Amino acid sequence: MKVAIIGAGPAGLYLAILLRKAGHEVSVLERNAPDATFGWGVVFSEETLGALRDADPATHLEITDSFARWSSVDIRYQGKLLRSRGHSFSAIARKHLLSILQRRAAELGADLRFGVEVDELPEADLVVAADGANSRVRTRDFRASVKPQGCKYVWFGTDLVLDSFTFSFKETEFGLFQAHAYPFDENTSTWIVECAEPVWRRAGLDTMSETESIAFCEKLFADDLGGHRLMSNRSLWLDFPLVRCASWHRGNVVLLGDAAHTAHFSIGSGTKLAMEDAIALATALARHSDLGAALTEYELDRQPMVERFQQAAGESAAYFGRTATYTGFEPVQFAFNLLTRSGRVSHTNLAQRDPDLIRVLDAWFAAGTSMVPGAVAPAPLFAPLRLGSTTLTNRLVAEDAGDPVRAAQAGAGLVMTGPVAVSPEGRICPDTPLTAEVSVDDVHQAGALVGLRLTHAGARGATRPPADGLDIPLPPTQAWPLLAASSVSFGPFAQTPKAMDAGDLAAARQAFADAATTAADAGVDVLELDLADGHLLAGFLSPLTNRRDDEWGGEHRWAYPLSVLDAVREVWPRLLSVRLTVTDWVPKGLGLPEGIRLAKAVREHGADLVHVRAGQSVAEARPEFRRGYLTTLSDQVRNQAGVPTLVGGYLTTPDEVNTIVAAGRADLCVLTPQPSPIEAVVLS
């Protein structure tokens, strides 16, 4: 088969090597000279090295013989150095990597042509576009999404030879700057500087020349560089382009590497993914004589893996965009937050890699400033939490527990019961109780506190029980009239609610206050006020469901829910939580920036805790449900609004709870129960 590869980066060259080994006729067309490259070092994981060894031992040997290797991560923060050990990194100069791949491809008989502009697709049985993130082929022939991701960044080299992957954070009058640096040969290290765009502009970097920019960064990181210099290779400030393509092939043209997808540099996976693409494409072509079948297999094989890396890279890029919100953290928590930012490293992972760091973290988390050096402490989920006058024995919350006493016996520090409707018309379904159905004393004896959620279903009321399906309306003969902020039904078949008038508003407010008084008299420890999931009070918060033009609508959408919160706070004497939708996840709906301001407002109105929720404001919302999907939202609410948070979102392991609370992303976690192996056998 005749194959034309456009682009002589690592992906294109490595594919040329593999296809020549398989006997195909291969030409590689590159617009630049053979020794022209941008960037400095390339990082590889052990997993990728195994794949390279199996695919072509000759290049694997030469690449690994050239590696700089290290096993530690240094974090320079607030004038302190924290070192985490037990990691595994390998890097090589990008120019040297390309030289190895060029020699090997030429040795195998690939036709390498440099200085060639490709204006029209070449004649070939297969055309491979490996022409990078700014791919001309993709732009012309494919539908793709390309948008900036993360901070402004610039990619330098330095003659300082590091012995670890180094992160350095510098607070300035302009804002926070950070460096990512690592060695890649015996003489040089990569030194990436990044900052949020407003910081970049305030510092005047948007108007500086390349020389002035280098001088600024050398001065900024002078203590870290220790007299060494930064070096430029067309080192300009850039926006990272996040590339996503719905399809990677069309006819006989296929995208490879950055032409098909990118992953933010902060997890160091761009070259890794590109060369793994080459292996997958070569393997698919070897398995199928039909080109279409081969390209389909390649795409089906690689897309799920790439999407997982893009998700992790997105989390990492977003973390570095909001690092300034963590500068109040103690150094050990800041370091743990950084190391676990992408979701690929957890408390357990890090305990295996660096048990000393985790021992110090756990001891600090349990004791705070009174930590005794060398102390041993239980995992973070077992640390008590004091909120106001209430102390929870640990960080685990059981929600919607069928048996509250059993949930307490299983280890939850707080058992959240309900929802309890504050009035008959506020029920979600006929089974929704109007009073708490829990023995507070029995739960206390089992070692947990009791929480109770108060709700009014609003437009999501008068439905069949959830076991019959979500939001299925009752027959008209069984339904009851609904109330809501506006006459906006929840879903196409739902009853249209009445827009609440002054009497309805006053009655609902009083019903919440009366229910809170009843709960207090019953000895409930924690009250949760429902301002989430499209229910009555949440319906006032969202512009999608609040279309009023009176004192409770428009720019005053928050006013009625906050007035209910005030009424409840006046009669409720203990810990008060607000279950709060912080984003609708629908265009033109409540967005996260407003949700964070709203979380701050509920704290100012007396809430002790925010239970972070998202979506479900309208039926057409499409949240990205996955494990831990609410954690990043909780992180931002907690650290930007300055309010303790409770978060769920399909958290199923104690390790996830340990990671979230120790990293300062939430204070409490809802652990979704999973059947034990013994229960599973019995149930089957």
Side-chain angles (χ1 to χ4, degrees):
M1 181 169 60
K2 184 178 180 181
V3 181
I5 301 173
I6 302 171
L13 289 170
Y14 200 61
L15 180 65
I17 291 167
L18 301 182
L19 294 185
R20 279 301 301 147
K21 289 178 65 176
H24 298 292
E25 179 184 345
V26 179
S27 60
V28 180
L29 311 176
E30 169 59 49
R31 64 186 303 192
N32 295 308
D35 59 348
T37 184
F38 305 106
W40 295 90
V42 175
V43 179
F44 286 94
S45 67
E46 293 300 319
E47 179 186 15
T48 302
L49 293 179
L52 297 183
R53 180 192 61 236
D54 296 340
D56 187 51
T59 51
H60 172 265
L61 180 61
E62 192 170 359
I63 289 170
T64 54
D65 280 350
S66 306
F67 270 156
R69 300 179 185 270
W70 66 97
S71 61
S72 59
V73 177
D74 283 357
I75 300 165
R76 299 175 182 270
Y77 167 72
Q78 292 186 351
K80 296 183 179 180
L81 171 63
L82 291 89
R83 171 162 287 196
S84 175
R85 297 175 173 84
H87 306 272
S88 179
F89 297 99
S90 303
I92 185 173
R94 180 177 173 84
K95 185 175 290 188
H96 186 49
L97 173 64
L98 291 175
S99 176
I100 292 171
L101 298 178
Q102 288 169 10
R103 286 198 305 272
R104 177 64 169 155
E107 172 189 299
L108 291 171
D111 179 16
L112 306 183
R113 306 179 202 170
F114 293 92
V116 176
E117 290 285 355
V118 180
D119 297 319
E120 298 291 335
L121 293 181
E123 292 291 330
D125 300 310
L126 173 64
V127 177
V128 180
D131 50 343
N134 297 315
S135 170
R136 294 182 179 182
V137 177
R138 184 195 65 232
T139 300
R140 183 178 61 190
D141 297 328
F142 291 81
R143 294 179 59 188
S145 166
V146 183
K147 58 183 181 181
Q149 182 180 51
C151 297
K152 287 285 186 179
Y153 76 99
V154 60
W155 205 300
F156 297 120
T158 177
D159 56 359
L160 170 65
V161 181
L162 298 164
D163 64 353
S164 67
F165 201 115
T166 299
F167 293 100
S168 180
F169 298 87
K170 299 291 185 182
E171 294 185 74
T172 72
E173 66 268 35
F174 312 113
L176 186 70
F177 286 83
Q178 52 230 9
H180 314 227
Y182 55 88
F184 60 81
D185 63 23
E186 66 274 16
N187 301 309
T188 326
S189 300
T190 290
W191 195 279
I192 303 169
V193 179
E194 71 168 343
C195 62
E197 183 171 350
V199 176
W200 176 72
R201 293 189 183 279
R202 285 195 295 268
L205 287 160
D206 56 330
T207 61
M208 288 186 192
S209 67
E210 188 174 346
T211 301
E212 291 170 330
S213 177
I214 292 175
F216 177 92
C217 293
E218 283 182 335
K219 182 178 179 181
L220 179 61
F221 293 99
D223 291 344
D224 301 312
L225 291 168
H228 291 269
R229 64 191 178 96
L230 294 178
M231 301 181 293
S232 178
N233 179 11
R234 284 189 52 79
S235 298
L236 306 175
W237 286 90
L238 303 169
D239 293 307
F240 183 84
L242 174 61
V243 175
R244 286 194 173 104
C245 288
S247 176
W248 295 0
H249 74 279
R250 181 178 178 182
N252 71 330
V253 181
V254 64
L255 303 177
L256 192 73
D258 283 354
H261 53 78
T262 58
H264 194 263
F265 64 82
S266 60
I267 66 166
S269 294
T271 301
K272 158 199 162 61
L273 291 173
M275 294 181 74
E276 288 176 348
D277 281 357
I279 295 171
L281 180 54
T283 301
L285 291 169
R287 284 169 53 88
H288 296 277
S289 58
D290 179 76
L291 180 61
L295 299 184
T296 298
E297 179 180 295
Y298 155 69
E299 190 169 326
L300 291 175
D301 176 43
R302 291 298 296 160
Q303 276 200 342
M305 174 66 73
V306 166
E307 287 171 1
R308 287 195 293 273
F309 270 89
Q310 286 187 322
Q311 177 66 44
E315 296 285 355
S316 180
Y319 163 85
F320 284 109
R322 59 176 186 270
T323 314
T325 66
Y326 308 122
T327 53
F329 282 15
E330 288 295 314
V332 67
Q333 186 177 41
F334 184 91
F336 182 73
N337 186 299
L338 169 65
L339 294 169
T340 59
R341 67 192 182 278
S342 71
R344 296 190 299 165
V345 176
S346 70
H347 184 273
T348 296
N349 299 145
L350 206 50
Q352 294 169 340
R353 301 182 189 194
D354 192 349
D356 290 339
L357 175 64
I358 292 301
R359 190 184 72 243
V360 172
L361 172 76
D362 291 352
W364 168 83
F365 194 80
T369 56
S370 61
M371 182 184 75
V372 176
V376 176
L381 71 87
F382 296 113
L385 175 66
R386 186 172 182 83
L387 294 173
S389 61
T390 301
T391 299
L392 293 89
T393 57
N394 62 48
R395 306 307 180 98
L396 292 177
V397 177
E399 189 178 46
D400 301 326
D403 186 340
V405 174
R406 185 178 181 186
Q409 293 170 338
L414 171 63
V415 178
M416 190 67 71
T417 61
V420 167
V422 298
S423 63
E425 67 274 11
R427 290 172 295 160
I428 299 169
C429 66
D431 296 338
T432 304
L434 295 171
T435 58
E437 299 176 344
V438 59
S439 172
V440 173
D441 289 341
D442 288 347
V443 176
H444 285 171
Q445 290 175 10
L449 299 183
V450 178
L452 177 67
R453 188 195 320 159
L454 297 182
T455 193
H456 187 301
R460 292 190 75 178
T463 65
R464 296 182 183 180
D468 295 342
L470 192 63
D471 295 311
I472 298 177
L474 288 169
T477 56
Q478 299 176 24
W480 52 86
L482 300 181
L483 298 172
S486 301
S487 295
V488 179
S489 61
F490 190 92
F493 304 107
Q495 179 189 151
T496 299
K498 172 193 172 186
M500 297 174 74
D501 58 28
D504 298 323
L505 294 166
R509 186 188 299 110
Q510 188 61 49
F512 274 102
D514 291 345
T517 300
T518 301
D521 293 341
V524 170
D525 304 291
V526 179
L527 192 70
E528 184 168 85
L529 185 61
D530 187 1
L531 275 70
D533 304 331
H535 295 152
L536 179 72
L537 299 181
F540 279 85
L541 301 175
S542 173
L544 301 174
T545 50
N546 184 343
R547 302 176 185 176
R548 303 174 74 99
D549 57 6
D550 61 4
E551 60 187 307
W552 310 114
E555 61 181 19
H556 305 294
R557 286 182 283 110
W558 303 358
Y560 181 68
L562 290 177
S563 76
V564 174
L565 173 57
D566 291 339
V568 169
R569 179 75 278 182
E570 186 175 348
V571 300
W572 177 254
R574 294 183 277 277
L575 194 151
L576 180 58
S577 172
V578 171
R579 184 181 178 95
L580 183 66
T581 293
V582 297
T583 176
D584 288 337
W585 268 336
V586 176
K588 300 183 179 180
L590 178 74
L592 183 58
E594 183 182 359
I596 291 171
R597 297 194 302 273
L598 178 57
K600 187 174 182 179
V602 301
R603 176 65 185 269
E604 292 169 349
H605 280 255
D608 302 299
L609 180 71
V610 168
H611 184 169
V612 175
R613 301 287 295 172
Q616 302 188 58
S617 298
V618 291
E620 57 266 30
R622 294 292 180 268
E624 295 182 6
F625 291 120
R626 55 183 170 80
R627 179 174 289 184
Y629 74 101
L630 295 172
T631 301
T632 298
L633 298 177
S634 172
D635 183 339
Q636 294 178 73
V637 169
R638 182 183 188 273
N639 294 299
Q640 294 179 39
V643 56
T645 59
L646 162 63
V647 71
Y650 304 135
L651 305 177
T652 61
T653 68
D655 185 35
E656 290 170 310
V657 178
N658 285 327
T659 305
I660 290 167
V661 299
R665 299 183 180 110
D667 298 274
L668 295 165
C669 291
V670 176
L671 192 64
T672 301
Q674 300 293 307
S676 72
I678 294 175
E679 288 175 325
V681 170
V682 172
L683 291 172
S684 64

